[in-house]
Amino acid sequence: LAIGGVFVIIVVANRADPDPSGRRPQSVYYFAVSFFTIGISIIGSAAVVAALVEIVGSHPSSITNSVARTVVLGGLVTLISVALLITHLRRGLVLARDDAELPNPSRRVGQSYVAAVAFLSVMALLVMTVLSVYLIFVIAGPGVFGSFGGRGTATRFLVEAVFIAAVAGVVLWTHRNL
């Protein structure tokens, strides 16, 4: 993903479009940071949810200590990533919306960013929806679909899959008008 993202950024940054303002590299930076911090935010928040789902049921204190560490680390990663995302995305959008009459390569960079985010969100929704429906079958018929280790494990996976699908939906919905 990182190599693909860097490739797209380099291709977008080196377009032959005129750049009278000279802000294209700056907008590539803002949107590239936004792109990666969305992913990091999702990973951090998914780690928090996965850790919290682990404490359902009775476990020894060593597991709850591990859960606490994971929740704190995942929460910190999520909070810092979201702060960076908001800051960089706002600055990138300001550049993309400047000078509506002039050729604006920053707008094209922003459009590429939105398209990449929308594509990945739709793919995540697709995969998580299929996985969630399959996990419902696993929960309903563990004898037939027992490859996940029983109903408890399948239920934990289902909660995580639904969370990731919901986050992908929110990301898609919030980026649709950018």
Side-chain angles (χ1 to χ4, degrees):
L1 179 62
I3 292 170
V6 169
F7 177 74
V8 168
I9 292 164
I10 290 171
V11 168
V12 170
N14 290 324
R15 289 198 111 107
D17 297 340
D19 186 11
S21 67
R23 294 184 182 158
R24 184 185 346 218
Q26 187 179 15
S27 67
V28 168
Y29 163 75
Y30 288 141
F31 287 117
V33 170
S34 298
F35 180 79
F36 286 109
T37 55
I38 282 178
I40 293 168
S41 299
I42 293 170
I43 291 169
S45 64
V48 170
V49 169
L52 291 174
V53 169
E54 279 296 315
I55 63 174
V56 174
S58 60
H59 298 288
S61 62
S62 62
I63 290 180
T64 55
N65 290 342
S66 172
V67 167
R69 287 189 298 269
T70 303
V71 167
V72 169
L73 183 58
L76 288 171
V77 166
T78 302
L79 289 174
I80 293 169
S81 297
V82 167
L84 286 171
L85 169 65
I86 290 169
T87 302
H88 285 77
L89 186 56
R90 283 183 182 164
R91 290 180 181 173
L93 290 173
V94 166
L95 290 177
R97 293 174 177 157
D98 276 351
D99 299 326
E101 300 83 36
L102 298 174
N104 189 348
S106 295
R107 186 175 300 116
R108 189 177 302 268
V109 173
Q111 290 169 338
S112 298
Y113 160 79
V114 169
V117 169
F119 174 77
L120 290 176
S121 296
V122 169
M123 291 298 106
L125 275 168
L126 171 70
V127 170
M128 291 300 119
T129 301
V130 169
L131 179 61
S132 295
V133 171
Y134 185 79
L135 286 168
I136 291 169
F137 280 99
V138 170
I139 293 167
V144 177
F145 302 97
S147 61
F148 280 88
R151 286 186 173 135
T153 304
T155 302
R156 285 194 285 274
F157 284 144
L158 179 61
V159 170
E160 295 167 17
V162 168
F163 173 78
I164 292 172
V167 169
V170 167
V171 168
L172 183 62
W173 185 75
T174 57
H175 281 69
R176 76 186 192 293
N177 292 328
L178 294 181

